[in-house]
Amino acid sequence: MTQMTKKERLMAAVKGDPVDRIPVSFFGHNHTAERSPGTAVRAMLEQDRKFDWDFMKVQMRATYYAEAWGCTYNWMGPDIGPEVLDHVVKRADDFRKLKRLDASRGVLGDHVGIAKKIGEALKGRTPYVQTIFSPLSVADMLAGTRFHQYPRIGPLKRLMEEKPEAVHDGLSVISRTLADYAKESVQAGADGILLTTWRWAMQDVLPEEEYKIFGKPYDLAVIEGAIQAGADFNILHICRDPIIFDALADYPVDVISFNATSPQNPSLRDAMGRTKKALWGGIDHTQTLLHGPVEAITREVHGALEETGGKRFMLGPGCAIPAQVPEAHLRAVQAALSQWGKG
């Protein structure tokens, strides 16, 4: 088969058409680099030069959505997530005080600028998606959740139970702002967005029926913003486990990303039968990728490809990879991918 461009390869994989090779991409946090747009852009472009992944998930600090509405954070270090210093939602009625933000200005505008600078540097060579946290995740941060706090016992859960209508008012404002931000990001050059549910689309956090009330309508509004702006490569990342896969499997995205190696989540084979979307994942990012050995990485790569047959599939991690993952292990993924089917 003639060698494809990265975009051709991705679009063929999305449709389930033959590809010259299986697309692959990995991502992870560098909390120090993510603190400013300039260092974030340089770090991501360096990763692109080093690994030449088939697409880039633009990795930015997770707190910037909450910062846009006034939350403040203490930065701990390159491998440690930030800790909240002050948050803007102290009680449920504070959600009613939120204003729809201009996505082209302030912190959001700075991050639209990241999309623009990356696009200018890549010149169409590597497709990229702008990461956006779901409205429910942003509401969680505005209510003061800590990054290592389980949402089942977090502040937003309490506010949802006490005054759900006020939370809905806030989610409406947040989703409209993020839809505007999605449009701005695509217009700045991004091929699409990656919408992450963070910690909320899990069975032991929000049951499926509750997520359909507090999560899904607002998620769809953000995705629609990207589609309206012309995005043609949108990803849904269903974070953590155990996920409510079926409740989100019909989202109008091109790819679904999730941790398929967790025994609490659907396997790749199972998920292939539960959605028509392409899947991204297959590698255990916390164990196999981090600790190896190379032989185990090779087995996991080939196992993921066998489960999917290499159709409607993109190889990658279940979530952000730890900063301590050796470069040699990422190279081993690429080598194993090139070996598949030749044995």
Side-chain angles (χ1 to χ4, degrees):
M1 179 182 291
T2 303
Q3 183 175 355
M4 295 175 158
T5 66
K6 293 179 180 181
K7 190 63 175 282
E8 290 170 343
R9 189 175 297 123
L10 292 179
M11 293 299 98
V14 165
K15 296 175 184 176
D17 292 341
V19 292
D20 58 343
R21 64 167 177 78
I22 306 302
V24 57
S25 184
F26 283 76
F27 62 96
H29 282 291
N30 180 331
H31 292 292
T32 298
E34 292 162 14
R35 287 186 63 179
S36 75
T39 55
V41 169
R42 286 194 293 274
M44 285 179 284
L45 292 177
E46 175 58 29
Q47 289 295 299
D48 178 69
R49 286 189 291 269
K50 182 180 289 187
F51 295 106
D52 198 28
W53 301 127
D54 284 295
F55 63 96
M56 177 193 293
K57 174 191 179 297
V58 177
Q59 198 74 2
M60 301 165 292
R61 65 182 187 271
T63 58
Y64 79 89
Y65 315 94
E67 292 170 39
W69 274 282
C71 292
T72 57
Y73 293 86
N74 179 39
W75 296 92
M76 308 297 289
D79 303 328
I80 306 173
E83 289 293 331
V84 62
L85 293 176
D86 191 25
H87 58 282
V88 298
V89 174
K90 306 290 198 303
R91 54 193 184 91
D93 283 335
D94 289 336
F95 275 118
R96 293 188 163 124
K97 300 175 185 177
L98 298 181
K99 303 296 184 183
R100 184 175 180 176
L101 303 179
D102 182 345
S104 67
R105 303 176 69 86
V107 176
L108 296 178
D110 289 344
H111 287 72
V112 170
I114 289 178
K116 187 173 188 298
K117 290 175 183 176
I118 288 176
E120 291 170 347
L122 293 176
K123 296 181 170 58
R125 182 177 60 82
T126 301
Y128 64 106
V129 292
Q130 191 88 331
T131 301
I132 303 181
F133 272 50
S134 70
L136 195 53
S137 301
V138 175
D140 189 16
M141 286 187 275
L142 294 177
T145 192
R146 297 183 182 279
F147 274 73
H148 304 294
Q149 184 177 36
Y150 203 53
R152 180 168 50 83
I153 56 174
L156 182 58
K157 285 287 291 184
R158 174 176 54 81
L159 298 179
M160 291 165 68
E161 293 166 0
E162 289 177 0
K163 193 169 284 191
E165 66 278 10
V167 176
H168 279 295
D169 287 345
L171 287 168
S172 177
V173 171
I174 293 166
S175 65
R176 283 181 286 151
T177 298
L178 295 183
D180 292 341
Y181 173 68
K183 292 177 185 177
E184 293 281 348
S185 298
V186 173
Q187 290 166 355
D191 293 82
I193 66 168
L194 179 145
L195 184 75
T196 175
T197 59
W198 197 26
R199 307 181 297 191
W200 283 91
M202 296 192 293
Q203 294 169 10
D204 56 351
V205 175
L206 275 189
E208 186 170 322
E209 290 307 312
E210 283 190 62
Y211 196 89
K212 289 179 179 178
I213 295 170
F214 285 99
K216 192 167 187 174
Y218 305 107
D219 292 347
L220 295 179
V222 180
I223 296 168
E224 181 59 29
I227 293 171
Q228 288 177 0
D232 60 1
F233 184 60
N234 294 312
I235 302 172
L236 172 68
H237 177 59
I238 313 176
C239 202
R240 307 196 182 196
D241 54 60
I243 60 173
I244 50 172
F245 184 88
D246 293 334
L248 286 68
D250 63 347
Y251 274 29
V253 295
D254 303 287
V255 181
I256 296 178
S257 160
F258 69 103
N259 184 11
T261 63
S262 168
Q264 298 183 78
N265 287 340
S267 66
L268 289 173
R269 192 186 307 278
D270 188 20
M272 291 288 286
R274 292 160 69 171
T275 183
K276 297 300 183 184
K277 311 296 182 182
L279 303 177
W280 179 28
I283 304 300
D284 185 338
H285 56 290
T286 62
Q287 295 298 321
T288 310
L289 190 66
L290 179 59
H291 301 296
V294 167
E295 293 77 12
I297 294 170
T298 300
R299 286 194 299 271
E300 197 155 274
V301 169
H302 291 177
L305 295 171
E306 288 163 7
E307 280 195 67
T308 60
K311 298 287 187 181
R312 288 194 287 124
F313 181 60
M314 302 168 188
L315 188 67
C319 197
I321 66 174
Q324 299 83 7
V325 167
E327 181 178 331
H329 288 181
L330 293 170
R331 299 295 184 193
V333 170
Q334 293 175 314
L337 186 61
S338 68
Q339 296 164 8
W340 186 61
K342 296 181 180 179

